[in-house]
């Protein structure tokens, strides 16, 4: 029993320790999460605009997108999008006479998780946009602003405080969802942890260490988002 | 698209579906049971107990479920054989299976997320109602049983459908520790037939149907539960 918790030296930063590998895993986890979050943000913004102002066809396509993505387990989606995405790209390359390529794990992970995030972000941002009082948008139109200017100067700045709590939640979700990429074989924190634990048989040490790393990532993000929200809500009464 | 494998594997999918439903209902049931005290001690009761509950929620919600699952399965799995005499005990067949570990991990996860929601639900019960109950001479436990808990559960009810769907969508993780739920059966089909898309699409369709059923059932239930005025 004692040796279960006594092999913390496996986490050391020396040559035979896993310390640096774990931190590298955390770094790629962070990169994938950030990339997917930003991609989700862009999809969410466009999706929300499409859902609120788009034609009937756009709206029904977006409804199918958000409903399906939110009803299927992330693990299944990741596998489907990964195989479908890489397969489609290589088919296109094949038609154009190029040789199939190996898509980098980082890019594939970002795109796959970004598409998933986009569905949730669409709903968050749509709700935030609808919370803007109509009078503000009408006033902007009355000033003669074009739709793009209204979006840039009124809608987006005014929706940010409403969208921030939901987006903070989505960031936490994507940071944890990166662990699912381990199942497809991307080398991020969860996969490195599993390899290390399997090789050394020190399951407690590595899974607890990985948990602590994920937890520190989410706790730091919490502080960051709380500050961001306070900044976005400055001047608003009684919501702090 | 080749679908000729469907009839052959259908019985396996049915048993996989049964495992998924068991995982889902057991973990939501026990998770909700745990969530009630976790939410309650954060609102009332000794401060140290509240701090432990809050810490529990933070850790559960701040780490990936996959890591929790692996820690429980591989970590506890490595621990149990060291306990003397455990191999001969009646518990051993249960401890050797992966299914109980999956239920335990999902239960803890539901308890962590729903405990946070229960905290808000207990808090949002109007003070006046609790004071009225106290004025009637109710003891603390009568008050909890007859006023506070029912009102909090009423507040929490609309979130329950979402919790069911979220838990349903995390059940495929159990396949990584050799529990053959719907997703796990789908992986078997993928390995045995060398088809990639069809089994995944089939599995996705099953989950979409399950999600739809959950949403419909809760819409129906919600109309039957009296809403707070």
């Amino acid at each position: 029993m004692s040796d279960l918790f006594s092999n913390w030296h496996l986490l050391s930063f020396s040559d035979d320790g896993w310390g640096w590998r774990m931190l590298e895993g955390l770094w790629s986890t962070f990169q994938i999460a950030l990339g997917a979050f930003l991609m989700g943000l862009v999809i969410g913004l466009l999706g929300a605009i499409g859902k609120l102002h788009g034609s009937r066809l756009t709206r029904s396509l977006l409804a199918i997108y958000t409903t399906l993505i939110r009803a299927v387990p992330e693990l299944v989606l990741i596998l489907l999008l990964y195989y479908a995405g890489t397969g489609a790209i290589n088919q296109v390359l094949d038609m154009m006479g190029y040789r199939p390529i190996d898509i980098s794990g980082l890019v594939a992970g970002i795109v796959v998780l970004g598409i998933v995030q986009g569905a949730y972000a669409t709903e968050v941002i749509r709700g935030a946009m609808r919370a803007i009082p109509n009078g503000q948008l009408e006033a902007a139109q009355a000033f003669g602003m074009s739709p793009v200017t209204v979006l840039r100067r009124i809608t987006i700045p005014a929706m940010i405080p409403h969208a921030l709590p939901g987006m903070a939640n989505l960031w936490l979700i994507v940071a944890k969802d990166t662990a699912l990429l381990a199942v497809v074989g991307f080398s991020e924190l969860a996969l490195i942890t599993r390899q290390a634990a399997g090789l050394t048989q020190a399951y407690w040490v590595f899974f607890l260490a990985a948990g602590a790393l994920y937890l520190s990532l989410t706790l730091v993000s919490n502080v960051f988002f709380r500050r961001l929200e306070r900044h976005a809500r400055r001047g608003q009464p009684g919501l702090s | 698209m080749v679908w000729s494998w469907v009839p052959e594997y259908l019985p396996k999918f049915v048993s996989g579906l049964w495992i998924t439903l068991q995982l889902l209902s057991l973990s939501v049931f026990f998770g909700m049971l745990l969530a009630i005290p976790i939410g309650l001690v954060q609102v009332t009761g000794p401060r140290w107990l509240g701090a432990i509950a809050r810490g529990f929620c933070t850790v559960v919600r701040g780490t990936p479920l996959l890591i929790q699952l692996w820690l429980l399965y591989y970590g506890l799995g490595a621990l149990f054989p060291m306990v003397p005499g455990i191999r001969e005990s009646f518990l051993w067949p249960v401890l050797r299976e992966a299914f109980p570990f999956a239920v335990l991990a999902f239960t803890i996860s539901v308890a962590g997320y729903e405990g946070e929601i229960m905290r808000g639900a207990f808090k949002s019960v109007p003070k006046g109602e609790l004071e009225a109950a106290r004025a009637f001479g109710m003891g603390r436990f009568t008050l909890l049983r007859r006023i506070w808990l029912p009102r909090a559960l009423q507040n929490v009810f609309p979130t329950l459908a979402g919790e069911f769907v979220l838990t349903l969508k995390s059940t495929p993780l159990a396949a990584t520790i050799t529990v053959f739920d719907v997703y796990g059966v789908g992986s078997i089909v993928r390995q045995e037939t060398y088809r990639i898309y069809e089994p995944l699409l089939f599995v996705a369709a099953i989950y979409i149907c399950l999600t739809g059923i959950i949403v419909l059932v809760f819409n129906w239930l919600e109309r039957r539960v009296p809403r707070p005025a």
Side-chain angles (χ1 to χ4, degrees), chain A residues 1 4 68 70-76 79-80 83-84 120 176 179-180 194 203-204 207 211 214-215 218-219, chain B residues 58-59 61-64 66-67 70-71 74-75 79 82 113 169 172-173 176 183 190 196-197 200 207-208 211:
Chain A
M1 183 89 64
L4 270 181
L68 283 189
R70 293 187 305 158
V72 177
E74 279 79 5
L75 197 57
V76 178
L79 286 174
L80 263 179
Y83 289 126
Y120 290 88
K176 289 180 287 171
L180 300 180
R194 197 182 192 179
Y203 294 107
W204 283 95
F207 287 133
Y214 280 111
L215 191 61
T218 50
L219 290 181
Chain B
T58 310
V59 169
R61 299 179 342 135
T63 51
L66 194 60
I67 297 287
W70 286 351
L71 176 69
Y74 294 110
L79 205 60
M82 297 185 185
Y113 283 90
K169 292 200 301 170
L173 295 183
T176 63
Y183 172 82
R190 275 199 300 143
I196 295 175
Y197 301 111
L200 280 173
Y207 282 108
I208 290 172
T211 307

Side-chain angles (χ1 to χ4, degrees), chain A residues 96-180:
Chain A
M96 285 159 49
Y98 291 104
R99 282 196 303 149
I101 51 162
D102 228 13
I103 288 145
S104 114
L106 189 70
V107 175
I110 287 174
V111 172
V112 167
L113 285 180
I115 293 174
V116 178
Q117 278 271 303
Y120 290 88
T122 300
E123 295 298 326
V124 168
I125 294 175
R126 186 179 69 116
M129 281 184 174
R130 286 192 42 184
I132 302 171
N134 233 343
Q136 295 187 6
L137 301 176
E138 282 164 8
Q141 278 161 5
F143 268 105
M145 288 186 190
S146 70
V148 177
T149 319
V150 175
L151 183 72
R152 186 170 57 86
R153 300 212 19 201
I154 312 294
T155 310
I156 291 180
M159 77 159 199
I160 285 177
H162 299 293
L164 259 178
M167 291 311 292
N169 225 351
L170 284 184
W171 162 253
L172 295 183
I173 290 175
V174 76
K176 289 180 287 171
D177 272 356
T178 53
L180 300 180

Side-chain angles (χ1 to χ4, degrees), chain A residues 31-45:
Chain A
Q31 281 176 301
I32 295 173
L34 190 64
F37 180 74
L38 293 178
M39 186 174 155
L41 199 61
V42 173
I43 296 179
L45 201 55

Side-chain angles (χ1 to χ4, degrees), chain B residues 4 36 44 69 73 84 93 100 103 114 134 171 186 189 197 202 206 215:
Chain B
S4 53
I36 291 169
T44 178
L69 185 68
Y73 180 64
V103 171
E114 204 63 29
R134 249 174 246 133
T171 51
V189 177
Y197 301 111
F202 191 72
I206 293 178
V215 170

